[in-house]
Amino acid sequence: GAVVSQHPSRVICKSGTSVKIECRSLDFQATTMFWYRQFPKQSLMLMATSNEGSKATYEQGVEKDKFLINHASLTLSTLTVTSAHPEDSSFYICSARDRGRGRYGYTFGSGTRLTVV
Amino acid sequence: GQQLNQSPQSMFIQEGEDVSMNCTSSSIFNTWLWYKQDPGEGPVLLIALYKAGELTSNGRLTAQFGITRKDSFLNISASIPSDVGIYFCAGEPPQGGSEKLVFGKGTKLTVNP
């Protein structure tokens, strides 16, 4: 149980275009999902907390107009990187918490490798 | 903000050896988690710790939640090649309701057959 599916796993896009990444909780409902960014050989950096039915909460220094988050249902959150530039190239990972598991059901997706050329 | 100091940064060991890594902080945490990340994948939860002093095992892995709530260690016994990867500790701060995790910088483990 507690599976989080992230799509796509890899995407290459041209500078100036927008890219949407999906994060789905497959067997549980998640009122809260989290989006992380990971640079090579570094730890996970929390970008924002996605809240179902309300606005996302962004961490300090993260541009909300650059990284649009939508959490329209209890099983889906999307991250859209708008007007992507090469410096946005990174590994993006989502996670969700399955409260129904009782203890700490904090599951990560398999990540999306974004390359902006 | 709160930070986790994870050490060592990297380890090179022979197959069959035991491994130990730890995380420390100047702040207390309510929960300690240990994850393993393979290249190009998301982190996978190995062990979760919920109470100060708790010692939990998962196969060859053992982790403990420090009694001061400011540290945790992870031990891997009799390492095998598939243990290769990056291990992260993560802690849940005591601030109510945020559910945000704080991550260590990771320990990269290399196991030589």
Side-chain angles (χ1 to χ4, degrees):
Chain A
V3 177
V4 173
S5 174
Q6 190 172 338
H7 179 81
S9 58
R10 290 177 178 271
V11 58
I12 301 174
C13 70
K14 292 184 178 181
S15 286
T17 61
S18 295
V19 173
K20 180 184 286 187
I21 303 170
E22 293 187 347
C23 181
R24 294 181 184 272
S25 55
L26 296 187
D27 50 358
F28 66 98
Q29 294 182 333
T31 55
T32 305
M33 293 186 177
F34 301 88
W35 287 96
Y36 293 84
R37 183 173 181 177
Q38 187 177 33
F39 292 101
K41 300 182 180 181
Q42 294 193 23
S43 189
L44 285 76
M45 180 190 78
L46 180 65
M47 298 174 65
T49 302
S50 174
N51 305 299
E52 188 269 334
S54 64
K55 292 183 179 180
T57 305
Y58 290 82
E59 295 300 301
Q60 191 173 8
V62 178
E63 300 176 62
K64 58 181 67 176
D65 294 331
K66 174 75 167 176
F67 300 100
L68 299 179
I69 292 173
N70 184 282
H71 194 151
S73 78
L74 286 169
T75 59
L76 173 64
S77 174
T78 61
L79 168 68
T80 301
V81 182
T82 63
S83 187
H85 292 285
E87 57 264 31
D88 298 324
S89 299
S90 192
F91 193 54
Y92 294 87
I93 312 173
C94 69
S95 72
R97 183 175 183 177
D98 180 8
R99 294 176 176 274
R101 291 179 70 190
R103 305 202 84 180
Y104 214 94
Y106 208 107
T107 305
F108 285 82
S110 56
T112 297
R113 173 71 61 191
L114 170 63
T115 303
V116 184
V117 298
Chain B
Q2 293 175 298
Q3 293 184 330
L4 293 182
N5 301 308
Q6 186 172 350
S7 65
Q9 190 173 14
S10 61
M11 301 183 74
F12 298 84
I13 64 170
Q14 293 297 123
E15 182 177 0
E17 290 183 354
D18 296 341
V19 172
S20 185
M21 60 191 77
N22 69 85
C23 275
T24 61
S25 175
S26 58
S27 306
I28 61 173
F29 288 87
N30 284 350
T31 303
W32 283 91
L33 306 166
W34 285 93
Y35 288 89
K36 182 190 178 193
Q37 186 178 27
D38 292 325
E41 297 289 332
V44 174
L45 182 65
L46 299 174
I47 291 180
L49 302 160
Y50 306 101
K51 295 181 182 179
E54 180 180 354
L55 182 69
T56 298
S57 294
N58 178 9
R60 294 179 294 107
L61 278 61
T62 302
Q64 184 160 31
F65 192 146
I67 196 70
T68 64
R69 296 171 63 192
K70 294 181 179 181
D71 63 309
S72 177
F73 72 74
L74 173 71
N75 289 342
I76 305 173
S77 63
S79 59
I80 58 178
S82 61
D83 290 334
V84 166
I86 301 178
Y87 293 79
F88 290 100
C89 63
E92 181 186 18
Q95 294 95 333
S98 71
E99 299 185 299
K100 293 193 287 189
L101 294 181
V102 177
F103 280 84
K105 294 188 182 298
T107 296
K108 183 177 181 180
L109 178 62
T110 302
V111 180
N112 297 314

